[in-house]
Amino acid sequence: MKYNNIDFDTYFKNYPNAEGYFGKYGGAYVEGGLKSAMEEITEAYFTICKSTRFIGELRRIRREFQGRPTPISHLERLSTSLGNVQLYAKREDLNHTGAHKLNHCMGEALLAKYMGKKKLIAETGAGQHGVALATAAAYFGLECDIYMGSVDIKKQAPNVARMKILGANVVEVKEGLATLKEAVDAAFLAYSRDYKDSIYCIGSVVGPHPFPMMVRDFQSVVGIEAREQFVGMTGELPDAVVASVGGGSNAMGMFSGFLNDPVDIYGIEPLGRGATLGDHAASLKYGTEGVMHGFNSIMLKDEAGEPAPVYSVASGLDYPSSGPEHAFLRDAGRVRYDAIGDEETIDAFFKLSRLEGIIPAIESAHAVAYAMQLAKKMGRGSVLICLSGRGDKDMDYIIEKYGIR
Ligand SMILES: *Cc1c(COP(=O)(O)O)cnc(C)c1O
């Protein structure tokens, strides 16, 4: 299928190019030791990911450890409450550890093992990526250093405990505001000093090349499974596919399966409290081109051109940029990016729980909320939602802030 001169039949061969660019977005804006480290990972990935031993082992892990394939559920009662459009959910909440993040963490850790690395390094904000990576490290018997700001360590005590139980070393970062940005800086610094024995595991389709490509490839299992399952269940393709976008990994995984199909694709960012800078994290909707964390993409900037403070009710979505491939697909017009606020999201969170018996992660509830609006607009047809994770982690916060609705 051709779309705005981009040939989606050969898309995955051509994007990204050899330097890691999706059009003008992507690349690897790093220097010195980190530059050689990225080159080493790129080379290893291209060799190892084509080996039947690696592919076979990853498939076995997905089946026997992660519980894949995850099912698709027909959201019948929710659909009926809205009209005639039929809503479906790809159940990444049923993946081990409760979200899609394990898909790329197991891939990255398996790559580390094949490269002979001893340690996994990463940062975490809310702790979801840290827990998924600590799980992968435990599975493979690798060391694991997770950098986390002191503020987040206090806020996310259960996830800190999980990481420690899984054997990871949680490194407290006290600099600056002591949240995610400082944790990223500290983790990168530690990695640049220790890249011979360790590997940096990025938590989404962001960061320098090869990570946006690698994480997409590991997540594409979501879209590949979903396409086959959906056609098997209904005999046709969905009319629309919807996923939440923070860095953009669950969305890229889902979209990969449908880019070459006549399917409308929607990436949904958090509009938070509203459209004022600082009240949302809708970078693709309101941002401009810029480089941060080693890659060129669309980002939200403050007056000084630095990454702007962002907000969302979903801590997994409050990142001031998104993966370069999303910026590219936005410009190409292949994927539509829109945003939805806290209020609609919380409403969808309770509706999905009450009508379907599925408590979603607040991140995933953004996609559900948008799909509900879309269903009303469409009038007929079908919508497939990527339900990226389960809501257990959000219970305390929801009850404290919103009570039981
Ligand atoms: C981390 C997270 C997200 C956001 O990350 P992406 O890379 O944009 O997918 C979405 N949903 C859940 C459940 C998460 O844990």
Side-chain angles (χ1 to χ4, degrees):
M1 183 177 99
K2 264 204 161 173
Y3 200 94
N4 272 342
N5 281 329
I6 296 160
D7 188 352
F8 282 97
D9 288 332
T10 52
Y11 178 79
F12 293 103
K13 269 206 166 69
N14 297 327
Y15 297 95
N17 71 8
E19 284 78 46
Y21 281 93
F22 304 86
K24 60 180 172 174
Y25 302 113
Y29 295 78
V30 286
E31 281 159 24
L34 279 178
K35 190 160 187 282
S36 358
M38 291 304 135
E39 286 164 3
E40 187 204 359
I41 297 175
T42 307
E43 203 151 300
Y45 176 67
F46 276 125
T47 311
I48 292 168
C49 79
K50 299 290 178 212
S51 98
T52 51
R53 222 155 55 88
F54 180 84
I55 295 166
E57 196 167 349
L58 194 57
R59 284 194 180 149
R60 187 188 60 74
I61 289 166
R62 284 173 176 165
R63 196 174 56 239
E64 295 174 8
F65 180 67
Q66 288 184 236
R68 303 205 70 87
T70 57
I72 285 181
S73 301
H74 181 193
L75 309 176
E76 225 169 324
R77 297 185 65 220
L78 182 65
S79 305
T80 305
S81 79
L82 299 164
N84 295 325
V85 171
Q86 298 306 306
L87 299 174
Y88 294 81
K90 174 64 170 164
R91 301 288 306 277
E92 288 306 296
D93 59 316
L94 296 178
N95 207 24
H96 179 45
T97 72
H100 69 289
K101 284 194 174 73
L102 200 64
N103 295 330
H104 62 251
C105 286
M106 294 307 284
E108 287 172 327
L110 184 62
L111 180 70
K113 199 185 98 176
Y114 272 69
M115 290 175 75
K117 305 291 186 189
K118 294 184 185 68
K119 189 197 281 180
L120 308 180
I121 295 180
E123 78 291 331
T124 194
Q128 294 303 109
H129 177 52
V131 170
L133 195 65
T135 302
Y139 181 91
F140 289 107
L142 296 165
E143 292 170 45
C144 185
D145 285 357
I146 303 291
Y147 290 78
M148 194 168 182
S150 335
V151 172
D152 290 330
I153 288 182
K154 275 203 199 78
K155 259 169 67 182
Q156 309 290 342
N159 274 344
V160 174
R162 278 185 196 107
M163 287 185 265
K164 288 184 176 166
I165 288 171
L166 289 160
N169 178 26
V170 180
V171 185
E172 181 173 358
V173 179
K174 296 177 182 159
E175 281 82 23
L177 296 174
T179 58
L180 183 61
K181 185 188 169 295
E182 291 77 19
V184 174
D185 294 341
F188 259 107
L189 184 66
Y191 176 57
S192 67
R193 289 179 180 149
D194 191 20
Y195 66 87
K196 292 215 166 57
D197 286 327
S198 62
I199 189 168
Y200 191 86
C201 293
I202 287 178
S204 189
V205 286
V206 297
H209 180 62
F211 282 99
M213 169 188 70
M214 230 164 65
V215 172
R216 172 197 72 190
D217 292 354
F218 289 139
Q219 286 294 347
S220 67
V221 66
V222 175
I224 293 168
E225 279 177 14
R227 189 182 189 284
E228 197 184 311
Q229 290 167 320
F230 195 91
V231 172
M233 286 167 82
T234 68
E236 48 191 49
L237 289 165
D239 293 296
V241 166
V242 180
S244 65
V245 178
S249 65
N250 85 87
M252 236 15 268
M254 186 63 152
F255 298 172
S256 307
F258 297 93
L259 285 175
N260 197 29
D261 290 317
V263 170
D264 293 332
I265 304 180
Y266 297 89
I268 307 308
E269 302 187 296
L271 190 60
R273 295 181 288 247
T276 311
L277 188 66
D279 281 346
H280 64 84
S283 41
L284 290 160
K285 194 171 165 89
Y286 297 112
T288 49
E289 191 178 342
V291 174
M292 71 178 267
H293 296 155
F295 65 106
N296 185 44
S297 188
I298 300 292
M299 58 191 265
L300 292 166
K301 297 176 201 167
D302 63 15
E303 279 152 22
E306 292 297 309
V310 285
Y311 161 81
S312 164
V313 66
S315 50
L317 300 181
D318 63 358
Y319 184 63
S321 182
S322 281
E325 192 165 10
H326 287 292
F328 174 71
L329 292 170
R330 181 197 77 162
D331 288 6
R334 178 64 192 95
V335 178
R336 263 179 272 181
Y337 294 89
D338 209 338
I340 198 135
D342 288 359
E343 268 310 309
E344 295 92 328
T345 298
I346 296 302
D347 180 55
F349 173 90
F350 283 105
K351 285 235 164 72
L352 190 71
S353 303
R354 285 282 160 86
L355 292 174
E356 299 291 343
I358 301 170
I359 302 179
I362 306 184
E363 290 80 4
S364 324
H366 281 76
V368 177
Y370 192 82
M372 286 165 60
Q373 291 188 355
L374 191 62
K376 285 188 188 157
K377 261 186 247 157
M378 283 166 61
R380 52 190 274 195
S382 59
V383 180
L384 175 61
I385 302 161
C386 187
L387 204 77
S388 52
R390 64 177 181 229
D392 303 35
K393 67 182 177 62
D394 300 316
M395 285 303 101
D396 291 350
Y397 178 81
I398 290 273
I399 287 171
E400 195 185 310
K401 185 139 184 235
Y402 298 94
I404 310 275
R405 283 194 185 172

